[in-house]
Every structure is written in C-alpha cells, then in structure tokens.
Amino acid sequence: MEQTIEQISYKELLALDHLPQHIAIIMDGNGRWAKTQGKHRIFGHKNGVKAVREASEGCAEIGVKHLTLYAFSTENWNRPQMEVSALMELLIMTIGKEVKTLQKNNIKLNAIGHISLLPDSCQKALKKAINETSNNTGLTLTLALSYSSRVEITDMVRTIAQKVKNGQLEPSEITPDIIGNHLYTHNIPDPELLIRTSGEMRISNFLLWQIAYAELCFIEKYWPDFTKNDLFKAIYDFQNTERRFGMTSEQITN
Ligand code: IPE
Ligand code: IPE
Ligand code: MG
C-alpha cells in the first residue's frame, strides 16, 4: 500500500548537510480555511499562528539559517478595515507571546517592508522582540510586513540614483551584486526554496529579484493546516531536484 504524506516522516529522509540556506513562505489561505469551518476570515488568521510556529520551529530544529514569512503585503492594506485591524492586533499579541519560544529556539527576529506604516503599538512590539532576540545565533526569522517587492525595487533604484547623482557611484559600476546590496534583504542570502500554500500559483509581489533561481513549491493545503512535515517534504523535494542554473545535466553531475 502506498504511504500518504502524513504517514511518511520526511525529517529522517533529509540530507542535513544539503539544506537550503534560506526558505521563503507565502502563507496563504487563512480566509478560505475559516470558510470551510463556517467561520469569519479572522478565525483563519488566528489559526494561522500555529503554522507559523510549525514553520519556524521546523527550520530551527534542522538548522536552516533563514526563514522569511510573507505576513502582510502592501496590497493587504486594501482589505476591509476590520480585517486589517484584527491582523495588526494579532501581530502584537503573537509577537508578545512568542518571544519566549524564539529565545528557547535561539531564533533571531527580523522584519522587512515599510514598517513605519504599521500602527505604533505594532512597531513597538516588533522592535522590542527584535532587540530582545538580537543576540540569538540560530535561525533568522524575517517577517515581511507592509511589504511589496516592487516598492523595495523602487526604493533600491532611488538610493542608487541618489548615489550616482552625488558622484559616489558610476552607472557602469552598477552590477547585480550592487543591486542586491541595496535591497531590504542585503544581509540575507537569496531564497533557494519558495513555498506557497493554498494551491494558488502566483508570487503576489514577493521577493521578485531574490527568487530568480529559487525552487518553487506550491502546496494544496490552506496555511492553518501547514505542518513541520509539509516543510520537511518541501525540503526533501528540493534536495531531490537537479538545480542546473542554466547549465546541462552533465555539467552538474561531472
Ligand atoms: C493569508 O491568508 C494571510 C494574509 C494575506 C494576511 P488570506 O487572508 O489571504 O486567505 P485567503 O487567501 O483569502 O483564503
Ligand atoms: C499574499 O497573499 C500576501 C501574504 C501572504 C501576506 P494574498 O492573499 O494577499 O495574495 P493574492 O491576493 O492572492 O495575490
Ligand atoms: Mg490569500
């Protein structure tokens, strides 16, 4: 009889010396998950917190160095006011509650996006948790909040243009590395694996430059149902994919 994914424990199958350095996740499907239970979308967001724990503890457990979670996009500001407020409240509560778990797991918290657009109380909670976990040396957990990849790229172009204008940089000196060094993620390696839950196959304005060569993994489950084993399966599939970077299979294997 064939085993289902729930029966196979993927953790044991992983090559721990060949882990992706950086995993990025588009946590999608909270609203639809709630709908299947006959509940309001906000109930789905609340239940998504457990899956955040699964993903971050899973990464910390096996030694992945970077995990970036898409938690709130610039476009998400256009959702109904009540949902936006509930998400901000949930963010504050969750950060407050989870600091202990972050410490226990040696996880360093980080954030990217236009954080100054978040409510003051949110910014405060976030900064406090970032400070308190700044000496942790295990996983770096980056939350993308009020984040848009196109805005990030626009910010990068403005900074570089200003440097050229000031005479600090020649246009001919602009290389892909220089561009990468001016993105919000300048101190994080590019994601090698990008996961999106909910069956939706789109990127929704997330890390467009950085995922140039990431392996994409789309999972049918809604985010609140995401487990460590789903994470480990995605990593297992990643490890069993030949990454050719434009070359031929023979060049990679020889
Ligand atoms: C992801 O779930 C959470 C956020 C975008 C904040 P959604 O809220 O997008 O849920 P669906 O995709 O509408 O089901
Ligand atoms: C992407 O999900 C943003 C986050 C997960 C925070 P959305 O639900 O907002 O994306 P679309 O609307 O399906 O593209
Ligand atoms: Mg969605």
Side-chain angles (χ1 to χ4, degrees):
M1 201 177 74
E2 215 180 293
Q3 282 186 304
T4 68
I5 163 183
E6 298 303 344
Q7 290 166 314
I8 302 172
S9 174
Y10 282 91
K11 189 178 172 183
E12 281 91 74
L13 304 177
L14 297 179
L16 295 179
D17 54 354
H18 178 46
L19 291 171
Q21 280 200 78
H22 181 183
I23 299 176
I25 306 185
I26 303 173
M27 311 184 286
D28 196 25
N30 292 352
R32 280 165 285 165
W33 182 88
K35 207 169 175 187
T36 63
Q37 322 264 314
K39 297 274 174 54
H40 192 275
R41 300 178 53 81
I42 293 168
F43 183 71
H45 297 315
K46 288 186 177 150
N47 280 276
V49 175
K50 191 173 70 63
V52 170
R53 214 176 290 130
E54 290 279 307
S56 37
E57 285 188 2
C59 283
E61 226 172 87
I62 56 173
V64 172
K65 290 304 286 178
H66 293 275
L67 171 67
T68 300
L69 298 177
Y70 202 6
F72 192 83
S73 72
T74 302
E75 291 76 18
N76 289 149
W77 288 114
N78 299 320
R79 290 194 177 187
Q81 186 50 47
M82 192 181 77
E83 181 170 344
V84 171
S85 306
L87 279 166
M88 294 301 146
E89 282 288 313
L90 188 63
L91 184 64
I92 299 169
M93 271 187 26
T94 308
I95 292 173
K97 265 208 285 198
E98 297 296 319
V99 173
K100 257 196 254 156
T101 323
L102 296 178
Q103 302 291 31
K104 194 185 88 195
N105 291 299
N106 196 21
I107 300 174
K108 182 175 172 167
L109 190 67
N110 178 37
I112 54 169
H114 276 197
I115 304 303
S116 61
L117 298 179
L118 300 175
D120 284 348
S121 47
C122 244
Q123 291 185 47
K124 251 179 137 174
L126 198 58
K127 281 179 191 152
K128 188 167 177 277
I130 290 174
N131 266 333
E132 286 176 8
T133 60
S134 63
N135 291 326
N136 290 344
T137 54
L139 172 74
T140 298
L141 169 62
T142 300
L143 299 180
L145 289 163
S146 192
Y147 175 86
S148 148
S149 187
R150 285 186 168 179
V151 169
E152 177 184 32
I153 289 170
T154 307
D155 285 348
M156 172 273 293
V157 172
R158 282 186 186 156
T159 310
I160 290 183
Q162 191 63 51
K163 286 189 177 174
V164 170
K165 193 177 166 196
N166 296 347
Q168 294 167 267
L169 196 67
E170 286 295 323
S172 59
E173 290 171 341
I174 302 171
T175 59
D177 276 349
I178 295 280
I179 290 179
N181 289 339
H182 287 80
L183 294 171
Y184 307 155
T185 51
H186 57 90
N187 47 6
I188 306 176
D190 288 341
E192 288 164 282
L193 173 61
L194 173 74
I195 300 171
R196 181 173 187 144
T197 54
S198 93
E200 227 70 86
M201 291 199 229
R202 57 176 169 262
I203 304 300
S204 303
N205 207 1
F206 191 43
L207 303 175
L208 299 177
W209 173 274
Q210 297 90 332
I211 60 166
Y213 254 111
E215 300 299 323
L216 309 181
C217 169
F218 296 101
I219 296 178
E220 286 295 326
K221 285 182 177 184
Y222 295 136
W223 179 247
D225 290 329
F226 183 85
T227 64
K228 275 184 197 176
N229 204 39
D230 293 319
L231 172 81
F232 298 147
K233 178 179 190 302
I235 300 174
Y236 176 78
D237 290 343
F238 166 88
Q239 292 184 332
N240 289 285
T241 299
E242 186 176 70
R243 307 188 75 210
R244 290 190 289 278
F245 300 102
M247 292 181 277
T248 67
S249 186
E250 290 70 25
Q251 286 176 294
I252 303 298
T253 43
N254 288 336

Coordinates of all heavy atoms in Angstrom, one line a residue, residues 153 156 160 169-186 188 190 209-210 212-213:
I153 N 12.1 47.4 -4.9 CA 13.0 47.6 -6.0 C 13.0 49.1 -6.3 O 14.0 49.7 -6.6 CB 12.5 46.8 -7.2 CG1 12.8 45.3 -7.0 CG2 13.1 47.3 -8.5 CD1 12.2 44.3 -7.9
M156 N 15.3 50.8 -3.9 CA 16.7 50.5 -4.3 C 17.1 51.4 -5.4 O 18.2 52.0 -5.4 CB 16.7 49.0 -4.7 CG 18.0 48.5 -5.3 SD 18.1 48.7 -7.1 CE 16.9 47.6 -7.6
I160 N 20.2 54.1 -5.3 CA 21.4 54.0 -6.2 C 21.4 55.3 -7.1 O 22.5 55.9 -7.3 CB 21.3 52.7 -7.1 CG1 21.5 51.5 -6.2 CG2 22.3 52.8 -8.3 CD1 21.5 50.2 -6.9
L169 N 29.0 56.9 -7.1 CA 28.9 55.6 -7.9 C 28.8 56.0 -9.4 O 28.1 57.0 -9.7 CB 27.6 54.9 -7.5 CG 27.4 53.4 -7.8 CD1 28.5 52.6 -7.1 CD2 26.0 53.0 -7.4
E170 N 29.5 55.3 -10.2 CA 29.4 55.4 -11.7 C 28.3 54.5 -12.2 O 28.2 53.4 -11.7 CB 30.7 55.1 -12.4 CG 31.8 56.1 -12.2 CD 31.5 57.4 -12.8 OE1 30.9 57.4 -13.9 OE2 31.8 58.5 -12.2
P171 N 27.5 54.9 -13.2 CA 26.5 54.0 -13.7 C 27.1 52.6 -14.2 O 26.5 51.6 -14.0 CB 25.9 54.7 -14.9 CG 26.1 56.2 -14.6 CD 27.4 56.2 -13.8
S172 N 28.3 52.7 -14.7 CA 29.0 51.4 -15.1 C 29.3 50.5 -14.0 O 29.7 49.3 -14.2 CB 30.2 51.8 -15.9 OG 31.1 52.5 -15.1
E173 N 29.4 51.1 -12.8 CA 29.7 50.2 -11.6 C 28.5 49.5 -11.0 O 28.6 48.7 -10.1 CB 30.3 51.1 -10.5 CG 31.6 51.7 -10.8 CD 32.1 52.7 -9.8 OE1 31.3 53.3 -9.0 OE2 33.3 52.9 -9.7
I174 N 27.3 49.8 -11.6 CA 26.1 49.1 -11.1 C 26.0 47.7 -11.6 O 25.9 47.5 -12.9 CB 24.8 49.9 -11.5 CG1 24.8 51.3 -10.9 CG2 23.5 49.2 -11.0 CD1 23.7 52.2 -11.4
T175 N 26.1 46.7 -10.7 CA 26.1 45.3 -11.1 C 24.9 44.6 -10.3 O 24.4 45.2 -9.4 CB 27.4 44.6 -10.7 OG1 27.5 44.8 -9.2 CG2 28.6 45.2 -11.3
P176 N 24.6 43.4 -10.7 CA 23.6 42.6 -9.9 C 23.9 42.6 -8.4 O 23.0 42.7 -7.6 CB 23.6 41.2 -10.6 CG 24.0 41.5 -12.0 CD 25.0 42.6 -11.9
D177 N 25.2 42.5 -8.1 CA 25.6 42.4 -6.7 C 25.3 43.8 -6.0 O 24.8 43.8 -4.9 CB 27.1 42.2 -6.5 CG 27.4 40.7 -6.6 OD1 26.4 39.9 -6.5 OD2 28.6 40.3 -6.7
I178 N 25.6 44.9 -6.7 CA 25.3 46.2 -6.1 C 23.8 46.3 -5.9 O 23.3 46.8 -4.9 CB 25.8 47.3 -7.1 CG1 27.3 47.3 -7.2 CG2 25.3 48.7 -6.7 CD1 28.1 47.9 -6.1
I179 N 23.0 45.9 -6.9 CA 21.5 45.9 -6.7 C 21.1 45.1 -5.5 O 20.4 45.7 -4.6 CB 20.8 45.5 -8.0 CG1 21.1 46.5 -9.1 CG2 19.4 45.2 -7.8 CD1 20.5 46.1 -10.5
G180 N 21.6 43.9 -5.4 CA 21.3 43.1 -4.2 C 21.6 43.7 -2.9 O 20.9 43.6 -1.9
N181 N 22.8 44.4 -2.9 CA 23.2 45.1 -1.7 C 22.4 46.3 -1.3 O 22.6 46.8 -0.2 CB 24.7 45.5 -1.8 CG 25.6 44.4 -1.9 OD1 25.3 43.3 -1.4 ND2 26.8 44.6 -2.4
H182 N 21.5 46.7 -2.2 CA 20.6 47.9 -1.8 C 19.2 47.4 -1.6 O 18.3 48.3 -1.5 CB 20.7 48.9 -2.9 CG 22.0 49.7 -2.9 ND1 23.2 49.2 -3.4 CD2 22.4 50.9 -2.3 CE1 24.2 50.0 -3.3 NE2 23.7 51.1 -2.6
L183 N 18.9 46.1 -1.6 CA 17.6 45.7 -1.3 C 17.4 45.5 0.3 O 18.4 45.5 1.0 CB 17.3 44.4 -2.0 CG 17.3 44.4 -3.5 CD1 17.2 43.1 -4.1 CD2 16.1 45.3 -4.0
Y184 N 16.2 45.4 0.7 CA 16.0 45.2 2.2 C 16.7 44.0 2.7 O 17.0 43.9 3.9 CB 14.5 45.1 2.5 CG 13.5 46.1 2.0 CD1 12.2 45.8 1.8 CD2 13.9 47.4 1.7 CE1 11.3 46.7 1.3 CE2 13.0 48.4 1.2 CZ 11.7 48.0 1.0 OH 10.8 48.9 0.6
T185 N 16.8 43.0 1.8 CA 17.4 41.7 2.1 C 18.9 41.7 2.0 O 19.5 40.6 1.9 CB 16.8 40.6 1.3 OG1 16.9 41.1 -0.1 CG2 15.3 40.4 1.6
H186 N 19.6 42.8 2.0 CA 21.0 42.9 1.6 C 21.9 42.0 2.5 O 22.9 41.5 2.1 CB 21.6 44.3 1.7 CG 21.3 45.0 3.0 ND1 22.2 44.9 4.0 CD2 20.3 45.7 3.5 CE1 21.8 45.6 5.1 NE2 20.6 46.0 4.8
I188 N 20.9 39.0 3.8 CA 20.3 37.7 3.8 C 20.6 37.0 2.4 O 20.4 37.7 1.4 CB 18.8 37.8 4.0 CG1 18.4 38.5 5.2 CG2 18.1 36.4 4.0 CD1 16.9 38.7 5.4
D190 N 19.9 34.9 -1.0 CA 18.6 34.7 -1.8 C 18.0 33.4 -1.4 O 18.7 32.4 -1.1 CB 18.9 34.7 -3.3 CG 19.3 36.1 -3.8 OD1 19.0 37.1 -3.1 OD2 19.9 36.1 -4.9
W209 N 13.1 39.9 -7.2 CA 14.5 39.9 -7.6 C 15.2 38.7 -7.0 O 16.0 37.9 -7.6 CB 15.3 41.2 -7.1 CG 16.7 41.2 -7.3 CD1 17.7 40.7 -6.5 CD2 17.5 41.7 -8.5 NE1 18.9 40.9 -7.0 CE2 18.8 41.5 -8.2 CE3 17.1 42.3 -9.7 CZ2 19.8 41.8 -9.1 CZ3 18.1 42.7 -10.6 CH2 19.4 42.4 -10.3
Q210 N 15.0 38.5 -5.7 CA 15.7 37.5 -4.9 C 15.3 36.0 -5.3 O 16.1 35.1 -5.1 CB 15.4 37.7 -3.4 CG 15.8 39.0 -2.8 CD 14.8 40.1 -2.9 OE1 13.9 40.1 -3.8 NE2 14.8 41.1 -2.0
A212 N 15.0 34.7 -8.2 CA 15.4 34.5 -9.6 C 15.7 33.0 -9.8 O 15.3 32.4 -10.9 CB 16.6 35.3 -10.0
Y213 N 16.4 32.3 -8.9 CA 16.7 30.9 -9.1 C 16.2 30.0 -8.0 O 16.7 28.9 -7.8 CB 18.2 30.7 -9.3 CG 18.5 30.4 -10.8 CD1 19.2 31.3 -11.6 CD2 18.0 29.2 -11.3 CE1 19.4 31.0 -12.9 CE2 18.2 28.9 -12.7 CZ 18.9 29.8 -13.5 OH 19.1 29.5 -14.8

